[in-house]
Structure formats: C-alpha cells, structure tokens
Amino acid sequence: MGAAGDPRPDPAVTRPPGVGGTEAADTKAARTRSAIIDAALRLFRERGYDATTMRAIAAEASVSVGNAYYYFASKEQLIQGFYDRAQVDHAAAARPVLETEVDLAARIVGVGEAWLEVMSPYRPFAGKFFKNAAEPTSPLSPFSAESSPARVAAVALWEEVLAGSDAKIPRRVRPELPELLWLYFMGIVLFWVHDPTADLSATRRVLHRTAPLVVKAIALTRLPVMRGMIDDVVALIHDVRSVFPIPESP
Amino acid sequence: MGAAGDPRPDPAVTRPPGVGGTEAADTKAARTRSAIIDAALRLFRERGYDATTMRAIAAEASVSVGNAYYYFASKEQLIQGFYDRAQVDHAAAARPVLETEVDLAARIVGVGEAWLEVMSPYRPFAGKFFKNAAEPTSPLSPFSAESSPARVAAVALWEEVLAGSDAKIPRRVRPELPELLWLYFMGIVLFWVHDPTADLSATRRVLHRTAPLVVKAIALTRLPVMRGMIDDVVALIHDVRSVFPIPESP
DNA sequence: GGAGATTTTTGAACACGCTCAAAAACACTC
DNA sequence: GAGTGTTTTTGAGCGTGTTCAAAAATCTCC
C-alpha cells in the first residue's frame, strides 16, 4: 500500500472454499477483468492469437485500450487468465472419471482425455500460448511463481488420480508421484501442441499407450535391483525442487 | 526456379565433408548473411534480444533494414543462424572429451559441459531463443523440418558419445539411444534455461548426477522383467517417430 | 456537501517488426 | 555496349503492442 506498487488487482488473492475460486469477489474490477478475458478468448478462438489486436479486444470488452492495460500488463498476460479457467474446467471435466474409475491407467487416460476435450477449442493457437510459457522469465511459465496456484491445483488433481485408484503404490516413490505425473502430462501436452494430426489421433494413441507404461514403471520400482537407482532419483528430485522457490500457501 | 518461390538463399544446402560445413561457398550473399548474424549476435550479447532492434542490426551490419529482411524472414530467423553455429561450436568443443574419455557417464558429462561452455555468453537471453523455439509452427522448433540439419548433427554427436564408450549396450535399445540421449539433453537444456543460479551450479549438479543414472538405466534394460516394457517403449518410439516428417538426407 | 487524495479511464503518441514498390546492381545474349 | 531479365538493395510507410500525461470517477474525512 505504501509502496508505489502495481495497482493491478491481485488475481486470486483469496481462495474461497470449493471449486473454481479463481476470481475474487464480484467487484466491479473483477467484472471488468472477466469481461476483458472473455472478449480476448472469444476473439482468439474466432481469429487466432496474432490476428486479434488489443484494440479489438478492448472494443469487444467496451473499454479503452489503456484500460485493458490497466488490468493486464500485456497481451500475453491475458493467457494467464485462460490458464486459470482451463485448470478449473479441466478439474470439472475430470470429475466423472475420478469418481467412477478405479484402475490407475484408466484414470490417467480419463483425466488426459478430459483435458483434450476442454482444450480442443483452443488448439489452433495453443502453440502461441506455450510459446510464451516457455520463456523462463515470463510469469506464464508453468514453473513461475505466478503460475503457482494453477500448478498446485494441477498437481492436486494428479494426486487425486493416484489416491482414488486401487493400485498398490510403493511407499518409496509415493510422495513424488503426483508431481511426476503432472510432469509426465506436461510431456503429453507438449506432444499435443506438436501433434500434426487433425483429429488428435496421435496424441490419443500416445496417451493410451503411455498410461499403462507409467503404471508398470511404478510397479517396477518395487524391484530390489531398482532400489539404489530409485533412491538416487528421489534425492535428485528433492535437490531440484529446492532450487526453485516454492510459494506454498499456508 | 520456375515457382515464384522464396528468393532467400538456402542455408546449408550442400554439406561439404568435415566439421563446420554450415555456410556454403564464400559468395557475396553468404558473406552478407554472415555479417548480419555476426552483428545480431554481437548486439544480442551486448543489449539483449528485445533491446536489439532490426534497425540497429542492419546498421551494425552496414545494410538496410529491407536488405536484412531479404536474407532473414524475421528477427527470430536470425536465431536459426545462431543454432547452426552453436551446433558446430559444440561439436568442436566436445572433440577432446570424445577422443580421450571412454567411460560413458564421463562422456555424457563432458559433452554436456562443453555445451554449457559454448553457450554461456548467450545465457542471459537464451530464454528468448527457446521461447521462440517452443512454438510448433515456428521453423525454430527443434522438431521442425528447418531445424532438421542441426538436429541430425546433434543426434550424430550423441551417437558418437555412445559409439566411443566402453559401455556394453543392450542390442534391443541401442538404435533408439542416440535420439533418446539427445532428448535427455534437451531436458538438461530446459533446466539450464530455467536455472536461477548465477554460476550454473544447479545445472551442473543435475548433469553430473543424471549422467550415471542414465548409464545405470541403460544397463537395467537388460533385466528380463524389463523386457516387455522395453519392447512397448521401443514400439511407441517408432510409432511417435512415424508421426513426424523426417527429411532424412540421402 | 465540499476539499483533497486515490483509483480508474481515456486516447493520442511512440517505437518497433515488418512490407513493398521502386531503384540499383548484376548477368547474360547478341 | 545496348538490350533484357534477374537478383539485390533501399527506405519510407503501415499496423501493432505498449506507454503516459491528463481527465474523470470514486473514495475519505471533516
């Protein structure tokens, strides 16, 4: 407050219980923010990312260009709003599978398919999104502090995938698995972004074939021969994790 | 020639034997291309990617802006030139290790360190490069057809890492390993780009700790229990590979 | 309700990446 | 060397993301 800081309203500063608590209270500011994101995503879908100008977004949302920049630092930043929504939608779309299926591989596939479903309207320009996400200094990077809420939520989803399955999971690797599954799925997403097939058949195939492999790999960590290596890997993971600032909410 | 095609000179159309055959003959065009890339990289290093304008690059290279665009389709495209050089420099820097060391893990570490060495001047804005590389439609993507020569060369380097080692490598996985090692190293590069430590100690640590793990993992593929899974993975790799166009030079 | 501070809104202006029509340089033929 | 076609070079100009000083709206305290 005293500091001459960013006047931009803090997104998701409070996290009300229940799903979808991304937007704060229904203030005027929050509604304007929403309107701008709505306009942006609508236009992105219709014309693509590059062809959509900030002037057009502002007009569509009935605000001035400068005002749009008052709420979002840049055109890229609008994507952060998209992420938050996508995360919420994905979690919702994954519910049915999470509540009925118990086979681990099937749960992984189901949650993956839910993602493909939710994201399909945005696929044509998903590349543009991930392009920006790849820059480390960008707040859009999945590893950045700004993405932390969405990342935590995503990891929690994969934790649920594990928790609700009937698979016996070795204790040694159990704590690392949610994050590793999330990472695995980031790989699937990377593939999805590059998938040249129109019907996403390649991504689907990879998803369906890797899921059982993941389950098998988890089971194999039980083997005594593996033990030494697994310990090394786990230690490495902890080391790597300690390198990055993890703003874990209290 | 008949087609109203791109007048831009084809980079690396012929590949003379020996190292560093990236630039074609010493034509005027090739020299101009080089001058522009030189200017660009110099300015990138001095001021960073964003702060370097095309006008400045053109001025530094003593050509007009339009002329720079005659040789390079975009500012991003200049990065392709950087890639090609980096690849050549890396291969050269890796020579000593490749010719003396026989232990596989040590070879991996050595080649990795060589990369870190060669790339260090560009690290401050390496993120910008990889940002652009992450977009699938971009010719800068490491999976794109345009990057094919550099990728092939890189994979060949990893093939040499394997071939020159004294490690006994299971036949079953041998053919896939060069590409997998390349992929593994792309992961290291990804880490490098995100590495927050000033002295790259985190990346170094990860490199030194993962290399022996990779070697151990290769050895473990021998186990009979692994057999089924390995076969699945290999089949999957072939499947994935077939999805992407591979312009293998004859 | 009015004075003063603060937040929100505005749109003209700026710098940059990039385009393009036209000029210059070059190559080739007779 | 004149004529003709092609490659290379030029720089003014366009559209875009972004900034900023100033206006308007809102809040705060008496």
Side-chain angles (χ1 to χ4, degrees):
Chain A
M1 316 220 162
D6 196 344
R8 255 176 291 278
D10 225 347
V13 61
T14 55
R15 187 158 289 275
V19 209
T22 305
E23 239 82 61
D26 188 25
T27 70
K28 170 119 186 294
R31 261 179 288 121
T32 307
R33 269 185 77 88
S34 261
I36 296 172
I37 295 183
D38 284 340
L41 291 184
R42 191 163 49 244
L43 292 177
F44 287 168
R45 259 184 319 228
E46 280 169 18
R47 319 179 187 174
Y49 181 79
D50 283 335
T52 301
T53 70
M54 283 302 275
R55 287 164 178 81
I57 293 172
E60 183 86 357
S62 309
V63 296
S64 69
V65 192
N67 201 233
Y69 276 95
Y70 180 74
Y71 286 100
F72 297 91
S74 68
K75 192 179 171 186
E76 290 188 7
Q77 286 287 345
L78 287 167
I79 300 175
Q80 183 80 7
F82 162 74
Y83 280 155
D84 294 342
R85 281 189 192 192
Q87 172 52 37
V88 171
D89 290 354
H90 181 210
R95 271 271 77 72
V97 198
L98 290 176
E99 273 162 17
T100 60
E101 187 61 60
V102 292
D103 179 67
L104 182 52
R107 286 171 76 84
I108 293 174
V109 169
V111 170
E113 291 273 7
W115 156 281
L116 295 181
E117 186 73 25
V118 165
M119 291 302 231
S120 62
Y122 302 98
R123 196 171 93 96
F125 49 94
K128 288 281 160 27
F129 289 3
F130 289 92
K131 160 184 167 144
N132 298 340
E135 212 208 318
T137 59
S138 161
L140 291 177
S141 163
F143 305 106
S144 77
E146 285 85 345
S147 300
S148 181
R151 184 175 62 245
V152 168
V155 171
L157 186 68
W158 289 103
E159 158 63 28
E160 201 182 340
V161 168
L162 284 165
S165 86
D166 62 0
K168 300 267 184 192
I169 296 163
R171 262 201 216 89
R172 196 177 303 275
V173 296
R174 183 62 178 79
E176 326 301 332
L177 280 187
E179 216 157 14
L180 285 180
L181 275 185
W182 172 75
L183 212 57
Y184 150 77
F185 194 68
M186 296 284 282
I188 298 283
V189 169
L190 185 68
F191 190 90
W192 172 72
V193 168
H194 285 84
D195 187 346
T197 66
D199 59 350
L200 294 183
S201 56
T203 303
R204 278 218 172 76
R205 214 159 57 239
V206 169
L207 177 62
H208 282 259
R209 290 176 70 172
T210 50
L213 286 174
V214 168
V215 176
K216 221 183 280 185
I218 292 174
L220 284 176
T221 61
R222 270 231 168 65
L223 294 180
V225 250
M226 291 292 180
R227 177 109 177 231
M229 210 175 104
I230 298 300
D231 288 346
D232 287 352
V233 171
V234 169
L236 182 67
I237 291 171
H238 289 157
D239 187 17
V240 165
R241 201 177 286 152
S242 74
V243 170
F244 297 100
I246 312 174
E248 200 98 37
S249 52
Chain B
M1 311 222 166
D6 195 343
R8 255 175 291 277
D10 224 348
V13 60
T14 54
R15 188 159 288 275
V19 210
T22 304
E23 238 83 60
D26 188 27
T27 70
K28 171 118 184 295
R31 261 179 288 122
T32 307
R33 268 185 76 88
S34 260
I36 295 171
I37 294 184
D38 284 339
L41 292 183
R42 190 161 51 243
L43 291 177
F44 287 169
R45 258 183 319 227
E46 279 168 18
R47 319 179 187 174
Y49 182 79
D50 283 335
T52 301
T53 71
M54 282 302 275
R55 289 165 174 83
I57 294 172
E60 183 87 357
S62 310
V63 297
S64 68
V65 188
N67 200 229
Y69 276 95
Y70 180 75
Y71 286 100
F72 298 90
S74 67
K75 191 179 172 186
E76 291 188 7
Q77 286 287 343
L78 287 167
I79 300 174
Q80 183 81 340
F82 162 73
Y83 281 154
D84 294 341
R85 279 186 195 196
Q87 172 52 37
V88 171
D89 290 353
H90 181 210
R95 271 273 74 74
V97 197
L98 290 176
E99 274 162 19
T100 60
E101 187 60 59
V102 292
D103 178 67
L104 182 51
R107 285 171 77 83
I108 293 174
V109 168
V111 170
E113 291 273 8
W115 157 281
L116 294 181
E117 185 73 26
V118 166
M119 292 303 231
S120 62
Y122 303 99
R123 197 171 94 96
F125 50 96
K128 286 281 161 25
F129 289 2
F130 288 91
K131 161 185 167 143
N132 298 339
E135 212 209 318
T137 59
S138 160
L140 290 178
S141 162
F143 305 107
S144 77
E146 285 85 346
S147 300
S148 181
R151 186 176 60 245
V152 168
V155 172
L157 186 67
W158 290 103
E159 157 65 27
E160 201 180 341
V161 168
L162 284 165
S165 85
D166 61 1
K168 299 265 184 192
I169 295 162
R171 263 203 215 88
R172 198 178 301 275
V173 297
R174 183 61 178 77
E176 325 301 335
L177 280 188
E179 217 156 12
L180 285 180
L181 274 185
W182 172 74
L183 212 57
Y184 151 78
F185 194 68
M186 296 283 285
I188 297 283
V189 169
L190 185 68
F191 189 92
W192 171 72
V193 168
H194 285 85
D195 187 347
T197 65
D199 58 351
L200 294 184
S201 57
T203 303
R204 278 218 172 78
R205 213 159 57 239
V206 169
L207 177 62
H208 283 259
R209 291 176 70 174
T210 51
L213 286 174
V214 167
V215 176
K216 221 183 278 186
I218 293 175
L220 284 177
T221 61
R222 270 230 168 66
L223 296 179
V225 251
M226 291 292 181
R227 176 109 177 232
M229 210 176 105
I230 298 299
D231 287 347
D232 286 352
V233 171
V234 170
L236 183 67
I237 291 171
H238 290 156
D239 187 18
V240 165
R241 202 178 285 153
S242 74
V243 171
F244 296 100
I246 313 172
E248 201 98 39
S249 52

